[in-house]
Amino acid sequence: MNLRRIAAAGLTTVLFASLAACGGGGSGSSSDSGPVTLKFQSLAFLPETQTATKKIVDDFNAANPDVKVDLVQGSWDNVHDQLVTQFAGGTAPDIIHDESADMTGFAQGGYLADLGEGMDPAVKSAISPGVLDAVTVDGKVIAAPTVLQSYLVFANKKPLDDAGVTVPSGPTMTWDQFAALAQQVESKTGKPGVGWGLKSPTATFMNLGLGFDGTYFDGSGKDATIKVGDPELEVPKRIAAMAADGSLDKATLTQSGSDVLPAWYAGKFAMTVQGSYAAGSFGTDAPQGFDWVALPALAGSAGAAQAANPQTLSVSADSKHVAEATSFVNFYMKAENLASIAEGETLYPATKDAQQAVITKTDGKDGWKQIVASGDALQKAPFQSVDNYPQWKDQIATPAFQQFLAGKTDAAGLQKALTDGWATVNR
């Protein structure tokens, strides 16, 4: 992104010591006769999350008569381009909902306030180091991480029961255990053990590859170099092997994750790998009486690590009222508030207090025990700091992985395509 530089030197400890109005540009406003007004652009799109978000805003406004937060609905479809325009024109919202992968570039351009001084210490200490690292740029905390996705294996219990297999019960499940489970189902029922929608495989491979220390890149920014060796190829090779032996339904490899679900509901295969958010739809979309369970997080030789790309709340550096906006962020991050957002999205809440609140409310049922456990290994991945990663992902990696899964190239060909492709996009 070609972003103008903004000086952020005025964001000091004194700024956060009170809720006094601050000078500058931005969308916030105030007058001698009324409260400070802040614009909060939310991207919540599920009805449950929109309701939870509105309640948080209403509760904050009721508790803070000198500050009024106006809730504005945004969209994930165009938020990046919209923010580029808003930042360039000095009209960005005071409080911005987005995700860390997108906000990193804006932070590097100087558009975001450093929340390090103003973030509630109790909130900050409740965020795992791996997740906090994902919202830290050049030593500055540029956002509060809210909720995150992890990949989990979900099982239709009937095919598992029909096969008489034993499901791993520990905190994690190794890839070897996963493959063996799928093979047992296939051999005893004649049906594939797994259906895995990998029409767009790159994010899945990059995330789960961390469990084998597969980082794909060294360095950051424009100077990053690509690294595709045995650790990076481990996940695609294991998935291809499962498809080759019939324990994974080959037809699902060209489908999206959601496209696979109807066949899973119908028992055409026992297991499916999905983002945790998918569990939120099982209760409404699956047939009545459908019995499912979330399995332990997949673990490779380096554990159950996955990439942390949290949804975030940031404050515009141009806001007239950075302190007040940060105060709202702290309010949003309170355990009961963040738990309500996590439940609406079926995503891992970023703070320990919110995680416990969800577990207490749900008793760990409906996959929540496994969702919360899977989040403990989330960490910032090297590719999240690589300038040309989005272009490489779309133009090079996705078609190369698709060719590999279709059997049209081998591991050596995949390695060459990924490596040579990086050279073409990172000139």
Side-chain angles (χ1 to χ4, degrees):
M1 280 175 290
N2 293 320
L3 302 175
R4 63 185 175 85
R5 296 281 172 174
I6 300 175
L11 308 180
T12 64
T13 305
V14 175
L15 178 65
F16 297 105
S18 69
L19 293 181
C22 305
S27 61
S29 63
S30 65
S31 68
D32 293 338
S33 60
V36 167
T37 300
L38 303 173
K39 182 189 292 185
F40 168 34
Q41 180 168 288
S42 169
L43 304 181
F45 68 96
L46 295 174
E48 299 87 350
T49 317
Q50 289 180 338
T51 298
T53 301
K54 184 177 185 303
K55 184 179 186 303
I56 293 171
V57 171
D58 290 345
D59 289 349
F60 177 84
N61 287 340
N64 297 273
D66 294 333
V67 182
K68 182 177 184 296
V69 174
D70 284 340
L71 181 60
V72 178
Q73 184 63 47
S75 171
W76 287 106
D77 293 337
N78 64 355
V79 64
H80 176 80
D81 291 342
Q82 183 182 36
L83 286 173
V84 169
T85 300
Q86 289 173 329
F87 280 128
T91 61
D94 301 279
I95 305 149
I96 303 161
H97 180 194
D98 200 352
E99 63 180 7
S100 64
D102 192 33
M103 296 311 285
T104 296
F106 292 116
Q108 291 169 338
Y111 285 96
L112 304 180
D114 180 3
L115 303 186
E117 296 285 353
M119 185 179 288
D120 185 334
V123 169
K124 191 173 182 180
S125 65
I127 301 169
S128 69
V131 174
L132 190 62
D133 190 36
V135 293
T136 302
V137 177
D138 297 330
K140 299 176 181 179
V141 178
I142 55 93
T146 58
V147 292
L148 304 89
Q149 171 187 287
S150 59
Y151 289 94
L152 288 173
V153 180
F154 296 99
N156 180 337
K157 288 191 68 178
K158 187 179 185 306
L160 290 185
D161 292 342
D162 290 346
V165 300
T166 301
V167 175
S169 58
T172 61
M173 173 174 63
T174 68
W175 277 83
D176 288 340
Q177 288 176 310
F178 176 48
L181 194 61
Q183 288 173 345
Q184 290 174 46
V185 172
E186 193 276 331
S187 65
K188 294 182 179 182
T189 69
K191 298 178 180 179
V194 184
W196 199 334
L198 287 171
K199 181 179 180 180
S200 300
T202 306
T204 302
F205 289 171
M206 302 288 285
N207 275 270
L208 294 177
L210 290 174
F212 292 96
D213 277 333
T215 60
Y216 285 89
F217 291 96
D218 283 326
S220 62
K222 179 71 173 177
D223 297 328
T225 57
I226 196 164
K227 179 181 67 172
V228 183
D230 290 340
E232 289 74 25
L233 295 174
E234 193 71 33
V235 169
K237 286 168 65 176
R238 284 176 177 267
I239 292 173
M242 292 174 70
D245 68 22
S247 61
L248 190 157
D249 188 341
K250 287 183 180 180
T252 64
L253 294 176
T254 60
Q255 298 177 313
S256 69
S258 60
D259 288 341
V260 167
L261 292 178
W264 179 61
Y265 296 148
K268 293 185 178 179
F269 36 81
M271 297 176 287
T272 184
V273 183
Q274 302 279 337
S276 60
Y277 66 87
S281 66
F282 297 165
T284 55
D285 294 349
Q288 187 173 3
F290 180 72
D291 194 7
W292 63 276
V293 63
L295 303 189
L298 283 169
S301 57
Q306 296 187 37
N309 181 27
Q311 292 186 31
T312 55
L313 292 185
S314 298
V315 174
S316 170
D318 262 358
S319 172
K320 296 177 181 178
H321 307 289
V322 173
E324 290 88 342
T326 305
S327 177
F328 173 77
V329 171
N330 285 328
F331 186 87
Y332 186 105
M333 294 292 291
K334 292 175 67 173
E336 63 271 24
N337 292 335
L338 196 57
S340 69
I341 298 295
E343 284 187 77
E345 298 272 0
T346 320
L347 294 174
Y348 171 82
T351 69
K352 295 294 184 184
D353 293 342
Q355 293 158 26
Q356 186 56 54
V358 172
I359 291 295
T360 299
K361 183 175 178 181
T362 64
D363 197 26
K365 297 177 181 178
D366 296 329
W368 276 108
K369 177 181 177 182
Q370 291 79 12
I371 291 171
V372 169
S374 70
D376 292 341
L378 292 171
Q379 62 186 54
K380 185 175 182 179
F383 66 82
Q384 292 172 295
S385 300
V386 174
D387 284 359
N388 289 321
Y389 169 73
Q391 184 182 357
W392 176 81
K393 172 178 175 283
D394 294 340
Q395 297 179 9
I396 306 298
T398 294
F401 284 131
Q402 289 170 336
Q403 290 285 304
F404 177 74
L405 292 176
K408 296 179 179 180
T409 186
D410 59 11
L414 173 61
Q415 181 182 39
K416 185 176 189 306
L418 296 175
T419 303
D420 292 351
W422 175 248
T424 65
V425 302
N426 197 50
R427 292 174 177 172

